[in-house]
Amino acid sequence: MIKSIDEVRIEGKKVLVRVDFNVPLDENQNITDDTRIKESLPTIDKIIDYGSIPVLMSHLGRPKGEPNPKYSLEPVAKLMLEKYGYDVIFTKDCIGKPAQEAVNLAEAGQVVLLENLRFHKEEEKNDIEFAKQLAMLGDAYVNDAFGSAHRAHASTESIAKLFDIRLAGYLMINEIEYLGKSVTNPVKPFVAVLGGAKISGKIDVIKNLMDKCNSILIGGGMAYTFFKAMGFGIGKSLLEEDRVVLAKLLLKEASTKNVKLMLPFDIVIADSFNNEANCKTVNSDSIPDGWIGMDIGPETQKIFSDEISKARTVVWNGPMGVFEMENFAKGTYAVAQALAQATSKGATTIVGGGDSASAINKMNFQNKVTHVSTGGGASLEYLEGKILPGIAALEM
Ligand code: AMP
């Protein structure tokens, strides 16, 4: 059983909190998007409210196991102070004397932020001795880093087992509640909308959802491999030649399992891969040679929206087209709109991280769906039905 920070009062303690502060930085070390920080503030505030001291640990980027100022978490400490008013003590190393001294000095109301965990190669190796050194800095452990939960690292896995009190923060609990429970035990009809570039990245998601969904709507680049499998000409559209056989098998599996696997009926094609290209809408089986499928067409937008409107649970992962280009973003936005409408009619709607999350945010729809996952890779693995090591380690 996993317990949340609401269920166990962690009073007057030093609490080691694994957060995901892997924020994007520009060339001047300015944080360009602080969503990941903002999302863990409720957990940090709760620990402070308990009269405890949060000792925050995170990775940032890929420093490959050695200190590198480019990947320092110092800008995060600065932002937490300047933008959110936290009294932050930043430590130059996440273990050893600097870290221990900072933790000893910290008083109630303050927050300690440890330097990048990945400055030590032992972090990604899930090294138990490194985990023990981190564990010396706290009396309790909280994991709020869903985005890193699919990785068995020292700060997500080994460390948890060293604490009797190991809890999930609010962000983590929300992900378990929505992404986890809705998918394992969905209220039906359950519709999955899958898009993005390739089938290969989502095979296990499709397979897992095949046993749970009433319908699977497929858009984005992966649709063209299915079209190829159906014998359609696809011009220069994205194709994974080595997945055509798999696409055939998935189509067959869907029909045996009585799952409605819906592919785009019409698509927007372009004569080159850019926003200014000539484009037109054609039926999916009529892509002329040399043209590229870029987005789902208006008829498909309607059909997909209709299917979504009948659902009680919807999971969406992956854009319906090349949504970074304005002229090919309409299908993705139509799906976002359909999710928002379904939510207003009482459906549980879950957006699984990555590009679909950024589309929802771009439309300012994040509050119009039930849950937007914070983890790209982690949310995909959850949809694949995998057990995430960072979550499993919190079981008490
Ligand atoms: P993924 O990371 O697999 O979810 O893929 C996201 C990417 O898929 C986005 O960058 C989209 O531009 C891309 N994408 C979506 N539809 C297409 C398409 N029809 N052709 C090429 N790329 C696409």
Side-chain angles (χ1 to χ4, degrees), residues 58-215:
S58 176
H59 74 283
L60 194 154
R62 295 175 189 275
K64 301 202 174 111
E66 50 189 64
N68 181 341
K70 207 172 125 196
Y71 300 109
S72 172
L73 278 161
E74 201 160 4
V76 174
K78 197 165 159 251
L79 183 131
M80 285 185 76
L81 168 71
E82 291 173 359
K83 185 165 174 187
Y84 297 109
Y86 288 89
D87 186 353
V88 184
I89 307 175
F90 178 69
T91 75
K92 295 276 177 209
D93 196 352
C94 62
I95 51 168
K97 217 170 149 212
Q100 195 65 61
E101 275 174 8
V103 169
N104 293 346
L105 274 175
E107 291 173 6
Q110 288 187 304
V111 174
V112 178
L113 174 63
L114 306 177
E115 181 56 289
N116 196 339
L117 292 160
R118 291 195 187 165
F119 283 1
H120 295 264
K121 59 181 184 319
E122 292 82 0
E123 159 65 359
E124 290 182 77
K125 288 188 174 155
N126 202 10
D127 184 280
I128 186 70
E129 292 310 318
F130 178 67
K132 280 181 188 164
Q133 289 196 63
L134 289 169
M136 278 159 56
L137 304 170
D139 325 298
Y141 173 77
V142 170
N143 193 343
D144 209 27
F146 176 72
S148 307
H150 58 315
R151 307 265 179 243
H153 290 171
S155 67
T156 59
E157 216 231 1
S158 285
I159 194 171
K161 296 166 191 160
L162 301 172
F163 287 95
D164 293 334
I165 307 176
R166 41 181 193 271
L167 309 171
Y170 289 124
L171 183 154
M172 185 69 99
I173 281 290
N174 275 337
E175 298 280 5
I176 295 170
E177 178 68 28
Y178 292 112
L179 204 52
K181 285 197 191 142
S182 306
V183 176
T184 38
N185 199 8
V187 183
K188 298 212 167 180
F190 178 25
V191 174
V193 190
L194 299 176
K198 294 179 173 177
I199 297 191
S200 48
K202 289 181 188 153
I203 298 168
D204 291 336
V205 177
I206 302 175
K207 282 189 180 158
N208 183 38
L209 292 179
M210 198 83 91
D211 293 323
K212 304 187 161 95
C213 282
N214 301 89
S215 358

Side-chain angles (χ1 to χ4, degrees), residues 195-198 202 220-221 224 238 273 293-294 318-324 355:
K198 294 179 173 177
K202 289 181 188 153
Y224 302 91
L238 200 64
F273 195 77
M294 300 290 273
M320 295 291 99
V322 188
F323 82 115
E324 297 91 339
D355 283 323

Side-chain angles (χ1 to χ4, degrees), residues 204-252:
D204 291 336
V205 177
I206 302 175
K207 282 189 180 158
N208 183 38
L209 292 179
M210 198 83 91
D211 293 323
K212 304 187 161 95
C213 282
N214 301 89
S215 358
I216 302 180
L217 320 183
I218 292 193
M222 67 163 85
Y224 302 91
T225 302
F226 281 99
F227 290 148
K228 185 82 181 176
M230 290 156 74
F232 297 178
I234 59 165
K236 285 202 291 188
S237 309
L238 200 64
L239 170 67
E240 285 177 279
E241 193 79 62
D242 56 341
R243 305 289 170 178
V244 175
V245 174
L246 174 85
K248 271 189 197 154
L249 290 174
L250 290 171
L251 288 166
K252 206 167 147 208

Side-chain angles (χ1 to χ4, degrees), residues 286-297:
S286 312
I287 304 176
D289 284 349
W291 288 68
I292 310 164
M294 300 290 273
D295 195 9
I296 57 171

